[in-house]
Amino acid sequence: MAIVRNAVESDLPYLYEICLKTGDSGKDATDLFHDPYLLGQYYAAPYLFHDRGLCFVLEAEYRPQGYIIAAADTTEFRCWMERLWLPPLRLRYPKPFPKEIVKSKNEEAILNHLHTVAILPDPQLTPWIVDHPAHLHIDLLPAMQGQGFGRELMKALFAELGRRGIPGVHLGVGAGNQGAVAFYHKMGFTVLQEAPWGFTLGQLI
């Protein structure tokens, strides 16, 4: 039996694990990282600390096996990351990065993200941000995929965003992750912006 519930602090180790095991465009990224927690330090853990009310997990067999995490205001979230979350990580992983801690281009990219000052959304360059201020990440372990659980996680998050009066949400997806692109389109997401790396998709709540 699987259930969707609000995330709690003790779910944090599972968020790191799920993020890593789905971190290569939906595939297991374990072999790409010297530090197995690094990917989650950027794409999973901060959401639980920033606003736990917008974090939900899919629990099966007594453990989380998927999650959806979000920030209601992308601009505010990036400011929070820059002010509180990223500075300690920059001290932990100072530049230049030693070769022994960089196992792949994927790991190098995340390390560089940690040291990059967050670019705040510009309504003139990304006018869709006004109607889609929230953003989300959703990941499920392979055993949980294709069974409708992703839709259930989306429903839980959208209900909370709607309760808060958030008008819409966006996300980024790599062009090569065709399974994810197809899922988002089925969920009603549309293309807001295209880039060399993939797409920004959005949906009104």
Side-chain angles (χ1 to χ4, degrees):
M1 178 180 176
I3 62 169
V4 172
R5 60 166 174 79
N6 282 102
V8 295
E9 285 83 353
S10 57
D11 293 324
L12 184 60
Y14 301 99
L15 266 62
Y16 280 116
E17 178 189 16
I18 295 164
C19 188
L20 181 64
K21 289 187 175 180
T22 58
D24 183 16
S25 295
K27 301 188 294 292
D28 192 347
T30 300
D31 292 339
L32 301 178
F33 284 84
H34 169 78
D35 182 347
Y37 302 103
L38 182 61
L39 196 62
Q41 294 281 40
Y42 194 84
Y43 286 114
Y47 294 84
L48 190 67
F49 285 88
H50 177 257
D51 188 344
R52 186 163 59 85
L54 292 178
C55 299
F56 298 85
V57 297
L58 173 69
E59 183 177 295
E61 298 179 356
Y62 307 101
R63 51 158 292 170
Q65 298 200 44
Y67 62 71
I68 191 167
I69 50 182
D73 184 327
T74 297
T75 299
E76 188 276 331
F77 176 75
R78 290 184 179 176
C79 290
W80 175 86
M81 285 272 287
E82 184 64 34
R83 186 175 71 254
L84 296 176
W85 188 262
L86 293 176
L89 292 173
R90 289 168 180 162
L91 293 176
R92 185 180 306 167
Y93 307 103
K95 285 188 170 184
F97 310 125
K99 290 183 178 180
E100 60 268 22
I101 73 165
V102 182
K103 198 172 181 180
S104 67
K105 291 182 179 180
N106 302 63
E107 188 155 33
E108 184 176 21
I110 300 300
L111 287 167
N112 281 317
H113 280 326
L114 298 181
H115 285 270
T116 301
V117 176
I119 300 175
L120 301 182
D122 184 343
Q124 291 187 329
L125 299 176
T126 56
W128 46 263
I129 196 69
V130 175
D131 292 327
H132 304 80
H135 73 271
L136 68 84
H137 298 283
I138 180 171
D139 290 303
L140 291 88
L141 293 177
M144 297 290 104
Q145 296 174 13
Q147 302 178 58
F149 294 131
R151 182 178 296 274
E152 292 303 310
L153 285 166
M154 287 275 193
K155 286 172 58 178
L157 175 63
F158 287 1
E160 178 59 20
L161 289 173
R163 188 188 69 79
R164 297 187 185 193
I166 305 302
V169 62
H170 69 275
L171 56 86
V173 59
N177 195 348
Q178 292 300 312
V181 172
F183 166 71
Y184 295 132
H185 283 314
K186 287 181 180 179
M187 287 295 302
F189 283 78
T190 58
V191 176
L192 300 175
Q193 190 171 345
E194 294 188 34
W197 53 266
F199 309 97
T200 300
L201 306 179
Q203 182 170 331
L204 298 176
I205 303 301

